[in-house]
Amino acid sequence: MCQISASILSANFAYLAGDVQAMLSAGVDTIHFDVMDFHYVPNLSMGPMVCQSLRDAGITAPIDVHLMVENPEKYIEPFAKAGASIVTFHPETTGNVFELLQKIQQMGMQAGLVFNPDQSVLIDAAWSDYIDIVLLMSVYPGFGGQSFIPDVLDKIRSTRDFLDQNSSRARLAVDGGVKVDNAAG
């Protein structure tokens, strides 16, 4: 089943709730938050207060939080309290991937791992039951508006094969530069 998750990076923050509602009315399934800390990536973006503001404005759709931050463990509880549904993080940003996956799920959210275009998808067998989503970056994280990197298509196929061969329940997602003309890729 294909789902669309739209990033709010392109939204007009003065009218964020309205823009999000328009996205949902147009058929978007999930709202995607790109959380950047100016350390892991050279940009700064939103935090849990924005998530809470959308929930307070009546947005009930799933909110998918992509942590492009150092020390992602610091963000789990605040985003859980703010109403996040899914939290994904880059494995290299934490000292204990397994504990962080468990913590996310213990806080009532789905958990996932994110892999950059130049990284191999390495998933420890012990993590399998704790991964709800594998997010493949099709741009380098840190800035919106980048073009899709076509070489990622092979990685998408091989990751899908890997998940299927290992009977993984994890969903496969792609983030960055996805548009109408390349989504079917």
Side-chain angles (χ1 to χ4, degrees):
M1 174 174 75
C2 182
Q3 290 189 337
I4 297 173
S5 182
S7 174
I8 63 170
L9 267 185
S10 302
N12 180 340
F13 276 74
Y15 305 99
L16 184 57
D19 280 3
V20 168
Q21 192 55 58
M23 290 189 305
L24 294 168
S25 295
V28 166
D29 300 294
T30 305
I31 305 305
H32 185 79
F33 271 55
D34 288 303
V35 179
M36 300 177 265
D37 68 354
F38 204 66
H39 295 283
Y40 179 69
V41 295
N43 208 342
L44 186 64
S45 70
M46 70 214 79
M49 288 189 322
V50 176
C51 182
Q52 183 65 58
S53 295
L54 287 176
R55 292 300 191 210
D56 291 345
I59 301 298
T60 59
I63 294 177
D64 165 20
V65 176
H66 171 194
L67 296 176
M68 292 175 270
V69 300
E70 291 180 357
N71 304 307
E73 48 280 340
K74 295 179 181 179
Y75 295 80
I76 305 311
E77 188 171 343
F79 269 106
K81 288 180 179 177
S85 311
I86 304 162
V87 174
T88 58
F89 64 94
H90 296 255
E92 69 274 14
T93 62
T94 184
N96 194 321
V97 172
F98 185 61
E99 283 183 13
L100 191 51
L101 289 166
Q102 288 178 308
K103 181 177 181 178
I104 292 167
Q105 289 190 345
Q106 288 166 355
M107 298 294 300
M109 300 175 291
Q110 293 182 11
L113 298 177
V114 186
F115 297 93
N116 290 333
D118 59 349
Q119 292 176 311
S120 297
V121 176
L122 300 173
I123 300 174
D124 189 300
W127 306 342
S128 295
D129 290 340
Y130 297 90
I131 298 174
D132 298 294
I133 187 168
V134 174
L135 180 61
L136 301 180
M137 296 298 297
S138 48
V139 298
Y140 286 94
F143 295 96
Q146 296 178 64
S147 296
F148 183 88
I149 299 171
D151 290 347
V152 174
L153 289 171
D154 288 337
K155 185 178 189 176
I156 294 168
R157 288 182 196 99
S158 64
T159 302
R160 176 76 268 154
D161 289 345
F162 170 82
L163 294 172
D164 290 345
Q165 290 168 4
N166 289 284
S167 302
S168 173
R169 62 180 178 80
R171 296 181 315 279
L172 179 60
V174 179
D175 182 356
V178 177
K179 302 193 182 317
V180 171
D181 62 332
N182 63 14

